[in-house]
Amino acid sequence: MIEYIRGTLASLTPTLAVVEAAGVGYALNISLYTFTAIQGQKEVKLFVHESLVTGGRDDAYTLFGFATCQERELYRLLITVSGVGANTARMILSTISPTELCNAIANGNERLLKGVKGIGLKTAQRIIVDLRDKIATGAMTDELPTAVAQATPVDAHVKEEAVSALTMLGFAPAPSAKVVKAILEAEPALPVEQVVKLALKQIK
């Protein structure tokens, strides 16, 4: 079992980080939270969750990377909930910060969870019911890294990365591009992670 990978950040998009360690490049699926936390860094340490899906034509072995143990623990809790798969859990962590998610579950905030694409009322209620007791008081109180402000990239680059991230999350390219364009026209200085977060709330 891989606990974490420490190495050089070879490439980074809002949904994927490639970390080179001992001459091997590891591709790790990440959330927007982790993207923000490691953006601009040369050396990174990502905590790993390994996913092996068997059956069908091909078996799939996927690595998920997280900036903190807390985020990984939340991810692992989320995927135990019926109706919440790997991509849905990553969507939740891309839309809501780990601290906000803990508070939402602890306080029964269905409205915040329903604001995540793909999460309906029943799933939001199920997340709260199933995980409220598992998020013990103080279990997630370690300080989470604060996102560091990044220099504003070229608009075209932001648009391309945002559309690519949304496509990786399962949205069609055409409507994604339309929403991203509208967001950037209104707020051209937004970094890519903020563009994606806003788009996740607007794409239908």
Side-chain angles (χ1 to χ4, degrees):
M1 178 180 290
I2 301 174
E3 174 63 17
Y4 65 83
I5 294 175
R6 187 201 302 271
T8 302
L9 186 59
S11 67
L12 179 66
T13 73
T15 57
L16 189 73
V18 177
V19 180
E20 182 178 342
V24 178
Y26 296 90
L28 300 104
N29 289 282
I30 61 173
S31 68
L32 280 177
Y33 176 82
T34 289
F35 172 79
T36 301
I38 67 175
Q39 191 178 23
Q41 297 184 21
K42 293 183 178 179
E43 298 293 321
V44 297
K45 176 182 178 180
L46 293 179
F47 296 91
V48 176
H49 173 78
E50 300 173 80
S51 174
L52 176 61
V53 178
T54 58
R57 285 186 176 182
D58 301 299
D59 294 342
Y61 176 64
T62 307
L63 298 179
F64 291 85
F66 304 91
T68 66
C69 283
Q70 290 84 0
E71 188 191 13
R72 180 178 64 179
E73 182 60 23
L74 279 171
Y75 177 86
R76 287 175 170 173
L77 287 174
L78 285 169
I79 60 177
T80 66
V81 178
S82 176
V84 179
N87 286 331
T88 301
R90 182 166 64 157
M91 183 79 75
I92 293 170
L93 291 167
S94 291
T95 308
I96 308 172
S97 74
T99 300
E100 290 173 329
L101 179 58
C102 286
N103 289 336
I105 294 171
N107 298 322
N109 190 343
E110 299 171 358
R111 184 177 179 181
L112 183 61
L113 290 172
K114 280 175 58 185
V116 179
K117 286 295 178 183
I119 300 294
L121 177 60
K122 288 185 178 180
T123 303
Q125 292 173 336
R126 194 177 298 121
I127 290 171
I128 291 169
V129 170
D130 288 2
L131 302 186
R132 179 179 274 167
D133 291 340
K134 296 179 181 179
I135 299 180
T137 303
M140 299 286 179
T141 56
D142 288 351
E143 285 192 22
L144 298 164
T146 302
V148 178
Q150 302 294 325
T152 304
V154 178
D155 288 351
H157 178 65
V158 172
K159 179 182 177 182
E160 182 182 340
E161 283 213 342
V163 173
S164 175
L166 292 165
T167 303
M168 288 287 291
L169 290 171
F171 295 99
S176 297
K178 183 177 180 180
V179 171
V180 168
K181 182 182 178 183
I183 291 171
L184 288 173
E185 285 177 348
E187 298 183 74
L190 284 179
V192 64
E193 63 270 21
Q194 291 300 323
V195 174
V196 175
K197 284 187 177 183
L198 289 173
L200 288 173
K201 298 177 181 179
Q202 297 179 29
I203 296 178
K204 296 180 180 180

